Amino acid sequence: DGGITQSPKYLFRKEGQNVTLSCEQNLNHDAMYWYRQDPGQGLRLIYYSQIVNDFQKGDIAEGYSVSREKKESFPLTVTSAQKNPTAFYLCASNRDPSANYGYTFGSGTRLTVV
Amino acid sequence: GDSVTQMEGPVTLSEEACLTINCTYTATGYPSLFWYVQYPGEGLQLLLKATKADDKGSNKGFEATYRKETTSFHLEKGSVQVSDSAVYFCALSDNTGGFKTIFGAGTRLFVKA
């Protein structure tokens, strides 16, 4: 079955360390997104990509970086510049944003600073 | 800018009770509207959607009608089950360019047996 795979499910980061969250999809979707979810809040957009080799900053991009070298993959790096990275991170894809199909989400990565 | 406001939770119901979760929005243009559901420890799943005024989205016994005059998209179900316990997110998609989706804060539903 097609879907989005996020790994790892749980990730622990030490102060000053960069970590990379993986997101892979086999849906052949062009658009991919990274969201951050904090308790009691809605989802906030970090980065999005509508096509390979192109991506745009979302509302809270500071302290994060992404790449989109392949259609299937959209990894997110949480850098040491992100001062409060503890959160649940969700990757999503969309077959065609202009056609309003809605998102397919991965199962998320829970990142904790130790 | 565009925004989505949902009723605060948690909402606690007994099994077979009726459910309504209110959602209102502000948007320029004509957004598409969505409800997503999130079960504990998982990502979100698309529950239903409506792309224009007066459209009704439905799935798994849940319904919501796109009301342009009241800028609302309330989620309803006639008889909830314990398995419906989850967090529900209302969302809108900007159709005027950028194609970004804005999510409400979510409403947690507990259903007791």
PDB file of all heavy atoms in Angstrom, chain A residues 37-50:
ATOM      1  N   GLN A  37       3.811  20.116  15.616  1.00  0.00           N
ATOM      2  CA  GLN A  37       2.628  20.089  16.464  1.00  0.00           C
ATOM      3  C   GLN A  37       3.065  20.155  17.918  1.00  0.00           C
ATOM      4  O   GLN A  37       3.832  19.328  18.398  1.00  0.00           O
ATOM      5  CB  GLN A  37       1.807  18.812  16.225  1.00  0.00           C
ATOM      6  CG  GLN A  37       0.509  18.788  17.012  1.00  0.00           C
ATOM      7  CD  GLN A  37      -0.326  17.550  16.728  1.00  0.00           C
ATOM      8  OE1 GLN A  37       0.176  16.510  16.309  1.00  0.00           O
ATOM      9  NE2 GLN A  37      -1.625  17.644  16.946  1.00  0.00           N
ATOM     10  N   ASP A  38       2.566  21.168  18.623  1.00  0.00           N
ATOM     11  CA  ASP A  38       2.807  21.317  20.059  1.00  0.00           C
ATOM     12  C   ASP A  38       1.502  21.074  20.801  1.00  0.00           C
ATOM     13  O   ASP A  38       0.418  21.333  20.253  1.00  0.00           O
ATOM     14  CB  ASP A  38       3.344  22.714  20.369  1.00  0.00           C
ATOM     15  CG  ASP A  38       4.726  22.936  19.787  1.00  0.00           C
ATOM     16  OD1 ASP A  38       5.683  22.391  20.372  1.00  0.00           O
ATOM     17  OD2 ASP A  38       4.843  23.604  18.745  1.00  0.00           O
ATOM     18  N   PRO A  39       1.577  20.608  22.048  1.00  0.00           N
ATOM     19  CA  PRO A  39       0.351  20.290  22.797  1.00  0.00           C
ATOM     20  C   PRO A  39      -0.627  21.455  22.836  1.00  0.00           C
ATOM     21  O   PRO A  39      -0.242  22.589  23.142  1.00  0.00           O
ATOM     22  CB  PRO A  39       0.888  19.961  24.199  1.00  0.00           C
ATOM     23  CG  PRO A  39       2.284  19.509  23.980  1.00  0.00           C
ATOM     24  CD  PRO A  39       2.787  20.328  22.824  1.00  0.00           C
ATOM     25  N   GLY A  40      -1.886  21.170  22.537  1.00  0.00           N
ATOM     26  CA  GLY A  40      -2.923  22.193  22.618  1.00  0.00           C
ATOM     27  C   GLY A  40      -2.910  23.199  21.487  1.00  0.00           C
ATOM     28  O   GLY A  40      -3.692  24.157  21.506  1.00  0.00           O
ATOM     29  N   GLN A  41      -2.040  22.990  20.514  1.00  0.00           N
ATOM     30  CA  GLN A  41      -1.981  23.920  19.392  1.00  0.00           C
ATOM     31  C   GLN A  41      -2.250  23.177  18.101  1.00  0.00           C
ATOM     32  O   GLN A  41      -2.106  21.959  18.019  1.00  0.00           O
ATOM     33  CB  GLN A  41      -0.610  24.580  19.323  1.00  0.00           C
ATOM     34  CG  GLN A  41      -0.256  25.418  20.532  1.00  0.00           C
ATOM     35  CD  GLN A  41       1.016  26.207  20.305  1.00  0.00           C
ATOM     36  OE1 GLN A  41       1.283  26.657  19.196  1.00  0.00           O
ATOM     37  NE2 GLN A  41       1.802  26.380  21.347  1.00  0.00           N
ATOM     38  N   GLY A  42      -2.612  23.942  17.105  1.00  0.00           N
ATOM     39  CA  GLY A  42      -2.769  23.355  15.785  1.00  0.00           C
ATOM     40  C   GLY A  42      -1.407  23.097  15.167  1.00  0.00           C
ATOM     41  O   GLY A  42      -0.368  23.251  15.804  1.00  0.00           O
ATOM     42  N   LEU A  43      -1.422  22.699  13.922  1.00  0.00           N
ATOM     43  CA  LEU A  43      -0.181  22.417  13.209  1.00  0.00           C
ATOM     44  C   LEU A  43       0.387  23.717  12.632  1.00  0.00           C
ATOM     45  O   LEU A  43      -0.358  24.540  12.094  1.00  0.00           O
ATOM     46  CB  LEU A  43      -0.446  21.430  12.072  1.00  0.00           C
ATOM     47  CG  LEU A  43      -0.537  19.965  12.448  1.00  0.00           C
ATOM     48  CD1 LEU A  43      -1.719  19.672  13.324  1.00  0.00           C
ATOM     49  CD2 LEU A  43      -0.568  19.100  11.202  1.00  0.00           C
ATOM     50  N   ARG A  44       1.685  23.862  12.727  1.00  0.00           N
ATOM     51  CA  ARG A  44       2.354  25.035  12.165  1.00  0.00           C
ATOM     52  C   ARG A  44       3.312  24.586  11.067  1.00  0.00           C
ATOM     53  O   ARG A  44       4.109  23.666  11.272  1.00  0.00           O
ATOM     54  CB  ARG A  44       3.074  25.810  13.263  1.00  0.00           C
ATOM     55  CG  ARG A  44       2.127  26.469  14.263  1.00  0.00           C
ATOM     56  CD  ARG A  44       2.886  27.303  15.278  1.00  0.00           C
ATOM     57  NE  ARG A  44       3.660  26.480  16.199  1.00  0.00           N
ATOM     58  CZ  ARG A  44       4.587  26.958  17.033  1.00  0.00           C
ATOM     59  NH1 ARG A  44       4.872  28.255  17.033  1.00  0.00           N
ATOM     60  NH2 ARG A  44       5.231  26.143  17.850  1.00  0.00           N
ATOM     61  N   LEU A  45       3.258  25.287   9.939  1.00  0.00           N
ATOM     62  CA  LEU A  45       4.021  24.896   8.756  1.00  0.00           C
ATOM     63  C   LEU A  45       5.472  25.333   8.871  1.00  0.00           C
ATOM     64  O   LEU A  45       5.757  26.517   9.102  1.00  0.00           O
ATOM     65  CB  LEU A  45       3.371  25.513   7.511  1.00  0.00           C
ATOM     66  CG  LEU A  45       3.995  25.187   6.174  1.00  0.00           C
ATOM     67  CD1 LEU A  45       3.900  23.693   5.876  1.00  0.00           C
ATOM     68  CD2 LEU A  45       3.322  26.005   5.079  1.00  0.00           C
ATOM     69  N   ILE A  46       6.395  24.392   8.663  1.00  0.00           N
ATOM     70  CA  ILE A  46       7.829  24.679   8.740  1.00  0.00           C
ATOM     71  C   ILE A  46       8.380  24.963   7.342  1.00  0.00           C
ATOM     72  O   ILE A  46       8.956  26.025   7.095  1.00  0.00           O
ATOM     73  CB  ILE A  46       8.595  23.516   9.375  1.00  0.00           C
ATOM     74  CG1 ILE A  46       8.018  23.158  10.753  1.00  0.00           C
ATOM     75  CG2 ILE A  46      10.079  23.858   9.503  1.00  0.00           C
ATOM     76  CD1 ILE A  46       8.617  21.899  11.358  1.00  0.00           C
ATOM     77  N   TYR A  47       8.262  24.007   6.443  1.00  0.00           N
ATOM     78  CA  TYR A  47       8.707  24.128   5.056  1.00  0.00           C
ATOM     79  C   TYR A  47       7.747  23.356   4.170  1.00  0.00           C
ATOM     80  O   TYR A  47       7.105  22.410   4.616  1.00  0.00           O
ATOM     81  CB  TYR A  47      10.115  23.537   4.876  1.00  0.00           C
ATOM     82  CG  TYR A  47      11.263  24.489   5.063  1.00  0.00           C
ATOM     83  CD1 TYR A  47      11.926  24.558   6.282  1.00  0.00           C
ATOM     84  CD2 TYR A  47      11.702  25.300   4.014  1.00  0.00           C
ATOM     85  CE1 TYR A  47      13.001  25.429   6.460  1.00  0.00           C
ATOM     86  CE2 TYR A  47      12.770  26.172   4.184  1.00  0.00           C
ATOM     87  CZ  TYR A  47      13.424  26.229   5.413  1.00  0.00           C
ATOM     88  OH  TYR A  47      14.490  27.089   5.589  1.00  0.00           O
ATOM     89  N   TYR A  48       7.710  23.728   2.888  1.00  0.00           N
ATOM     90  CA  TYR A  48       6.987  22.940   1.921  1.00  0.00           C
ATOM     91  C   TYR A  48       7.696  22.965   0.586  1.00  0.00           C
ATOM     92  O   TYR A  48       8.486  23.863   0.290  1.00  0.00           O
ATOM     93  CB  TYR A  48       5.524  23.376   1.794  1.00  0.00           C
ATOM     94  CG  TYR A  48       5.301  24.765   1.241  1.00  0.00           C
ATOM     95  CD1 TYR A  48       4.889  24.964  -0.080  1.00  0.00           C
ATOM     96  CD2 TYR A  48       5.425  25.878   2.069  1.00  0.00           C
ATOM     97  CE1 TYR A  48       4.643  26.236  -0.557  1.00  0.00           C
ATOM     98  CE2 TYR A  48       5.189  27.146   1.584  1.00  0.00           C
ATOM     99  CZ  TYR A  48       4.792  27.324   0.270  1.00  0.00           C
ATOM    100  OH  TYR A  48       4.553  28.589  -0.207  1.00  0.00           O
ATOM    101  N   SER A  49       7.398  21.939  -0.203  1.00  0.00           N
ATOM    102  CA  SER A  49       8.021  21.785  -1.513  1.00  0.00           C
ATOM    103  C   SER A  49       6.956  21.338  -2.502  1.00  0.00           C
ATOM    104  O   SER A  49       6.262  20.352  -2.254  1.00  0.00           O
ATOM    105  CB  SER A  49       9.136  20.742  -1.441  1.00  0.00           C
ATOM    106  OG  SER A  49       9.580  20.376  -2.730  1.00  0.00           O
ATOM    107  N   GLN A  50       6.850  22.051  -3.605  1.00  0.00           N
ATOM    108  CA  GLN A  50       5.846  21.681  -4.606  1.00  0.00           C
ATOM    109  C   GLN A  50       6.452  20.912  -5.772  1.00  0.00           C
ATOM    110  O   GLN A  50       5.708  20.374  -6.609  1.00  0.00           O
ATOM    111  CB  GLN A  50       5.116  22.929  -5.095  1.00  0.00           C
ATOM    112  CG  GLN A  50       4.335  23.592  -3.970  1.00  0.00           C
ATOM    113  CD  GLN A  50       3.344  24.632  -4.465  1.00  0.00           C
ATOM    114  OE1 GLN A  50       2.933  24.608  -5.615  1.00  0.00           O
ATOM    115  NE2 GLN A  50       2.954  25.550  -3.602  1.00  0.00           N
TER     116      GLN A  50
END
